Every structure is written in C-alpha cells, then in structure tokens.
Amino acid sequence: MLRAEGAVPVRMRRVAVMAPEQALRECLLRIAEAGCVEVDLAGDGGPQVRGPAATRLQRLRAEAAQPMLCEAPPDLDVLEREGRTDLLAGEAQLEQRLGSAVRHGAVAALAGWCPETEVGATAARIAGAGAALVPLRAPRGVDPPTLLAGADTAPAVHTATPVRRSFTPLVTTYGTVPYADLDPTMAAGIVYVVMFGLMFGDAGQGLLLVALAFLLRAGRPRRLAALRPLWPFVAGAGLAATVAGVAYGEFFGPTGVLPVLWLQPLQEPMRLLAVAVALGAVLLAGAYAAGTVNRWREGGRASALCATTGIAGAALYLGLAVCAGYVWLGQVAYGVVGAVIAVVGLALAGTGLYATTAGGPGGAVQTGIQLFDAVVRIGSNVVSFARLAAFGLTHGALGALVWDGTTALAGRGPVGVAAALPVFLVGNAVAFSLEALVAGVQALRLEFYELFSRLFEGEGRPFRPWHLPVQHLTGPAADAGPPATEEAVRQGPAREESS
C-alpha cells in the first residue's frame, strides 16, 4: 500500500556505515553529532563488555553528567582524576560502537537504521571522514524502528510542524506505534480537543486556556519552560472549549453575556447525551476503519478479514448499529439486515479467534467467551461516550452554582457586592482547575481505551538514534593536540560547538 506523507511513521532505511579502520572514530563522531542513525550494538539486549572508559566511569561512582564527546582522543586517566563524567560517559558509548564494528582487513562496518529523508545528508556528512553510508535491504522478520514525525526521540530530524509535535505525546504515552501501522497523531489530537471542548464548554474559561497557551509559547512561567512545545495543544483545547461555550451560552457560567446558540446543557441534558453517544459511535466507526487498514498492513487480507479489530469487528459493529436502528425506528428490515451483518461478523471473528486456540471443545468454549466479550465491549464502549455529556453537565452545574451564589450575594447591598466578587473569582478558579483536570483525564481515557485499543494490537520498537554533542578544538588548543594534561582538561577546549 502507498504511504501518504504524514499518515504513517517516518520511512526507515537499513544502512551500513563503512569506514577505514583509522577513520572509524571520526566517522562515529560525525554520526553522533548528526543524531540521525540508530547503530546496532553487538550483544544488544545482553551484558555488555566494559571498555576502559566505562570501567573508569564505574570506579568514580558519581552521577554521570550529560554525555558528550571530544573531537580528539582524550587521556582517560586525566578524565578520571578530574571527574569528567560527561566525557567518560561519551567515550563509553563510543567504545560500545567501536566494539560492535565488523572488521575485514583495514575496513570496519556497522549496521543500523536511518530515516530515509536523512540518508543523503548523513552520507555526505561522513564522506568527509572517508566513510560511506550504504543502503541495505531490511532483514526478513525484523520490523524497522518507529519514528513518528514530531517525536522527541530524534531531535536532529525535523519532520513535523509545531502542531503535530504538540500532539505526538498523546500517541507515544500510549505506546510505540508499530512501523507498519498508520500514524494517528493528527487525528488523535483533533479528536482529543473536540472531546475536551464538549466537557469543558465555557467561552471565558476556554479563552483563559488560550492565554495560558501563549504564555507557554513565550516561555512563561520559567518553571514550565519544558512544556513550551505543547502550547499548540493547549491552545487547541482552549479554542474547542471556547466554541462549545459559545454554543452553550456559557461565559464563566450562565452569566447571560452570551446567547445560547445551540443548547443549554442543564436545560436539555438528553439532547446533549444523544449527541455525545452519536459522536462516540462515529469515532468508533473510524477506529474500526483504521484498525482494518492496520491489520491489512501488518498481516495481509487474512489478518484484516478475521480480526476483531478488523473487518470482522467492523461488520459486527455495523450489524449491531443497524439493529439499534430497528429498535429506534421500528422497521423490521433494519433488524433483519443488521442481524445478517452481525452474524457474518461473528462468524469471521470466531474463525480468527478459534485459530489462535489449541482447538477442540476447549478452544470452542474460549472462542465463545471471547465473542461474547466482543459484543459486550461494543455496547459498553458506545455508552462510555455518554461521559462527554455527563462531565459537560457537571461543568455547567459548577458554573451555575458559582453564578447563583454570586448573584445572591450581590443582591444584598454594598456588603453583598463586596463579598460576591471573591466568590465569583475563587469559584471560577476552583471550577477551572478541577474541570480542566477531569475533562483532560476523561478525554484521554476515551481515546486510549475506546479508540486506540482498536487501532493497535501490538507495539513497535522506538527509533533511538545515537546523538551526542561533540567538543571541537580550534585555535591554539587544536594545535596542541589532545588534552593529555590535567591543566588542559581543567581549562577545556578553546571553543565548544554543540550540535
């Protein structure tokens, strides 16, 4: 199947790094600085043989600083005496990769993975060291590592807009997307902010979220500077809440500042409930469609046909939905058609589930239990979206409570007005904090358990490129050679350039 840009993880290429033995260190320094290649380590997943730098780092028994590399080979004894755990940690990582190289005569080679878009630039970078980056065929039975556009695991690979980068944690928090699957980042982010807005529908408080987003963008407060990349996500949630608040006529509660354009949650709860469940049904249908594509990409048509998260599950879901139409409309034709579609879905799903059992009567019983669970799950998952309405009503009730208390105090003369203002401010602050947390958690729960559970059946392996800053020596320090003395290490290089 064709890969649409942005709809799938970043395309990876299997590569070999080939260099003359004497140039291997310089080649690896350039790879570390580029931060675009995941290098295979010998004995990966097992005990590693410790090199001289790693042994000295262990003897120091100090907390290692951020690893970094020095352009020239350093004197490890001097680094140990000076407690330079940053350079020792970097040299220890370099030792691992030097020890993982396959050597033939005067040539050394390492295998790894690199984003396809970065192969050319990385090849040109290491060519200056006399090395070459050779594309290889991916080994059979081995899935490439997964890199989502916008993930922070590869800071040197710039492949995403700020909006996509802010949405990526929604997916990576759940797990690593298998390489063959669709990348749901943008869809997941949009769905999340819509669900959040329905539960946190207040134009005034939504605008406060937007203001908070722009403060994050400006790096304020400094204690939250690490959250700066999330500002588009927070702004999107605030805009969704503002739009919902305009539709509800809510501006810091039912203050009457805005007219009701659609419905007032506390006055029409059943209508809001019906909309929430209908939205959930549409989202589940989309999740089944994406899940079917994923099963097809993972295992072909047979896997997609019989999976409960593929065509079989989608048919069962569609059949039950049509049967629900019969209950709602009373048309017998809906019931007959829905039952036929549901039975076909059950038969396909049963075939796939039975094939994973040991067979016999025990396998049949296990399959029956799993089919019953699949049916119950569909119903419970659809109903679970009623929480969009429930928490929307809770938010509206808190706003109404604060506003009723404010107006009651304001009607008692000057003293009441003086008391009404703090009640309004504190009440809205409490409602804002509490409901933002609750709506955020509930939207995340719906996305993970109701939607992502249908998209993914397994987990991939994250792309972990080797990326370390390198100290470059210039001027007199470069002419003097490597830092072989304590004084040279203490003073450091004349100039540092970090990637």
Side-chain angles (χ1 to χ4, degrees):
M1 296 181 68
L2 296 176
R3 286 174 171 265
E5 183 67 27
V8 291
V10 175
R11 189 175 181 85
M12 290 287 167
R13 286 301 301 267
R14 184 69 170 170
V15 295
V17 179
M18 304 185 69
E21 175 68 29
Q22 67 272 18
L24 185 57
R25 176 188 171 87
E26 183 182 352
C27 171
L28 287 174
L29 289 179
R30 296 187 180 210
I31 286 176
E33 214 169 18
C36 297
V37 179
E38 178 183 293
V39 179
D40 293 349
L41 300 178
D44 200 8
Q48 300 288 341
V49 178
R50 291 187 178 275
T55 301
R56 288 169 170 78
L57 186 64
Q58 185 182 34
R59 281 204 300 259
L60 287 176
R61 294 183 179 180
E63 184 177 348
Q66 177 65 38
M68 62 188 310
L69 292 165
C70 189
E71 183 177 27
D75 187 316
L76 298 181
D77 292 329
V78 173
L79 295 182
E80 183 180 7
R81 287 196 298 271
E82 292 295 323
R84 291 297 301 269
T85 57
D86 54 346
L87 290 174
L88 283 174
E91 289 296 321
Q93 292 188 22
L94 182 63
E95 287 173 352
Q96 281 186 304
R97 285 146 184 87
L98 289 170
S100 300
V102 177
R103 291 167 172 82
H104 183 74
V107 178
L110 286 158
W113 297 95
C114 180
E116 191 173 70
T117 56
E118 301 295 326
V119 170
T122 305
R125 188 182 189 96
I126 67 175
L133 193 70
V134 182
L136 303 173
R137 284 187 178 181
R140 289 186 178 181
V142 178
D143 290 332
T146 300
L147 172 64
L148 300 183
D152 58 3
T153 54
V157 182
H158 302 289
T159 55
T161 63
V163 174
R164 177 180 281 273
R165 280 196 291 270
S166 71
F167 287 163
T168 299
L170 275 176
V171 180
T172 55
T173 300
Y174 182 82
T176 303
V177 176
Y179 181 74
D181 286 6
L182 299 174
D183 177 1
T185 300
M186 288 302 296
I190 293 171
V191 168
Y192 183 94
V193 299
V194 169
M195 293 192 297
F196 179 90
L198 286 175
M199 290 185 282
F200 195 73
D202 188 290
Q205 295 179 6
L207 290 174
L208 284 181
L209 271 180
V210 174
L212 176 61
F214 282 100
L215 283 176
L216 288 176
R217 186 175 184 271
R220 298 287 187 271
R222 291 185 178 180
R223 288 180 297 178
L224 300 180
L227 301 179
R228 186 176 184 272
L230 299 180
W231 77 266
F233 177 73
V234 178
L239 287 174
T242 301
V243 172
V246 171
Y248 298 159
E250 297 275 337
F251 187 85
F252 294 111
T255 55
V257 173
L258 297 175
V260 178
L261 298 182
W262 178 39
L263 61 81
Q264 202 168 2
L266 295 179
Q267 301 300 321
E268 300 180 80
M270 295 308 297
R271 186 180 173 191
L272 183 61
L273 178 64
V275 170
V277 173
L279 175 62
V282 172
L283 293 177
L284 285 174
Y288 273 115
T292 298
V293 174
N294 285 345
R295 301 298 85 76
W296 191 296
R297 294 169 64 88
E298 292 165 358
R301 68 180 66 182
S303 176
L305 185 64
C306 297
T308 55
T309 56
I311 294 175
L316 177 59
Y317 176 75
L318 177 61
L320 294 177
V322 176
C323 287
Y326 159 68
V327 174
W328 184 266
L329 300 174
Q331 297 290 330
V332 177
Y334 283 100
V336 174
V337 173
V340 170
I341 297 175
V343 168
V344 171
L346 284 171
L348 291 173
T351 301
L353 292 172
Y354 185 78
T356 63
T357 68
V365 172
Q366 180 180 342
T367 300
I369 294 174
Q370 289 176 312
L371 288 176
F372 177 76
D373 176 69
V375 174
V376 172
R377 268 191 72 202
I378 288 175
S380 63
N381 290 160
V382 173
V383 174
S384 185
F385 281 91
R387 71 187 63 228
L388 295 175
F391 288 102
L393 290 170
T394 302
H395 188 65
L398 281 176
L401 180 63
V402 172
W403 181 242
D404 288 345
T406 300
T407 54
L409 287 172
R412 297 182 179 180
V415 176
V417 171
L421 183 59
V423 167
F424 180 77
L425 294 177
V426 173
N428 271 281
V430 172
F432 177 89
S433 304
L434 180 62
E435 287 300 309
L437 176 63
V438 170
V441 170
Q442 291 303 321
L444 195 65
R445 184 228 176 268
L446 287 171
E447 195 139 63
F448 282 3
Y449 290 99
E450 270 65 45
L451 303 179
F452 282 5
S453 62
R454 286 167 169 80
L455 263 64
F456 310 121
E457 283 195 340
E459 190 169 357
R461 180 175 67 84
F463 175 61
R464 301 190 185 281
W466 189 40
H467 187 216
L468 292 181
V470 178
Q471 288 184 340
H472 292 282
L473 304 181
T474 60
D479 299 333
T485 67
E486 295 185 22
E487 184 66 23
V489 173
R490 185 180 300 112
Q491 293 179 356
R495 182 171 66 89
E496 298 180 8
E497 295 176 357
S498 298
S499 64

